[in-house]
Amino acid sequence: MRHDFQIPHNSGLIRGSLIPVLAVTLFCIFIIIAIFNTFVSSREYEVDIIDRDVTRLAEVLKTIEKDCKIIRFESQKNSINFLNVKSFAGSQVGPLNLKHPERWHGPYLDTNPSIQGKEYLLVRTKKGYFVTPGEGVKLPNGKVVGVDIKLDEKADIESMMKDEKQLGYKGKALAAPLVIKKRDPYFLPASPLEYSI
């Protein structure tokens, strides 16, 4: 005796419900992969940008030091927003006071680099000068410059560059040292800078 309510095995109903399930499953897998790539890749990309920018800024400032001889800086933390200046009057450009302003060969960069809309900083500490991301920048390790990472005179930025919880991330430094020679009696810090009068 045949039951009318049974579904034959080869009917299209089973195939018809399997295709939408597979499509939804594949769509969910693609979404998960996209989210993972967005967060992981964006962190790595941001680390590469910061590493590249601080290295390039340190090289440009090294060139300015070599050509123009930096006498002093305006403050302990200085925004690096003056490298696109072509010419200027006097001995000061941005926060820099120069011994030989006539040797300025700007613009050194077409635009001043920034990260997360914030300018990079030239920071003076007792242990030297460093180029760092600006205050308010959230680093890939989740720390915020100026909040979690203090950039005052006592900051040991050289050690921070090696610490994954500070200014280091997966073997890359998120700051760069800068050697400036002492030329002014009010020029700080005392070490490890080279001195010449």
Side-chain angles (χ1 to χ4, degrees), residues 124-148:
R124 180 186 72 222
T125 71
K126 290 182 179 179
K127 295 195 172 193
Y129 286 89
F130 298 87
V131 176
T132 70
E135 290 191 327
V137 171
K138 186 173 183 179
L139 300 175
N141 59 14
K143 303 291 183 178
V144 177
V145 177
V147 176
D148 304 309

Side-chain angles (χ1 to χ4, degrees), residues 65-156:
E65 161 64 8
K66 180 182 168 204
D67 294 343
C68 305
K69 313 295 185 225
I70 300 170
I71 296 173
R72 67 178 157 259
F73 298 97
E74 202 170 77
S75 60
Q76 189 259 327
K77 288 181 265 191
N78 305 277
S79 291
I80 303 175
N81 57 7
F82 53 88
L83 298 176
N84 60 345
V85 172
K86 185 173 183 177
S87 62
F88 56 95
S91 64
Q92 187 154 344
V93 58
L96 304 183
N97 194 327
L98 306 173
K99 184 175 182 180
H100 301 289
E102 72 280 0
R103 295 182 188 167
W104 179 265
H105 300 296
Y108 289 91
L109 298 174
D110 293 331
T111 58
N112 294 298
S114 62
I115 188 77
Q116 298 172 13
K118 302 194 174 29
E119 298 167 338
Y120 286 88
L121 295 176
L122 177 58
V123 179
R124 180 186 72 222
T125 71
K126 290 182 179 179
K127 295 195 172 193
Y129 286 89
F130 298 87
V131 176
T132 70
E135 290 191 327
V137 171
K138 186 173 183 179
L139 300 175
N141 59 14
K143 303 291 183 178
V144 177
V145 177
V147 176
D148 304 309
I149 300 172
K150 302 292 183 190
L151 299 176
D152 56 19
E153 292 262 356
K154 297 176 185 174
D156 186 356

Side-chain angles (χ1 to χ4, degrees), residues 6-86:
Q6 286 183 341
I7 300 171
H9 179 64
N10 61 356
S11 78
L13 184 61
I14 293 175
R15 272 189 248 139
S17 64
L18 188 61
I19 291 174
V21 169
L22 285 174
V24 168
T25 304
L26 285 173
F27 180 74
C28 290
I29 290 170
F30 287 133
I31 294 293
I32 291 169
I33 290 170
I35 290 170
F36 177 78
N37 282 340
T38 299
F39 288 108
V40 172
S41 296
S42 66
R43 279 189 193 148
E44 299 298 328
Y45 181 67
E46 197 166 62
V47 168
D48 290 341
I49 289 172
I50 294 172
D51 181 49
R52 181 197 68 212
D53 284 350
V54 295
T55 302
R56 182 172 57 163
L57 289 169
E59 286 299 317
V60 169
L61 289 164
K62 181 180 174 183
T63 301
I64 293 170
E65 161 64 8
K66 180 182 168 204
D67 294 343
C68 305
K69 313 295 185 225
I70 300 170
I71 296 173
R72 67 178 157 259
F73 298 97
E74 202 170 77
S75 60
Q76 189 259 327
K77 288 181 265 191
N78 305 277
S79 291
I80 303 175
N81 57 7
F82 53 88
L83 298 176
N84 60 345
V85 172
K86 185 173 183 177

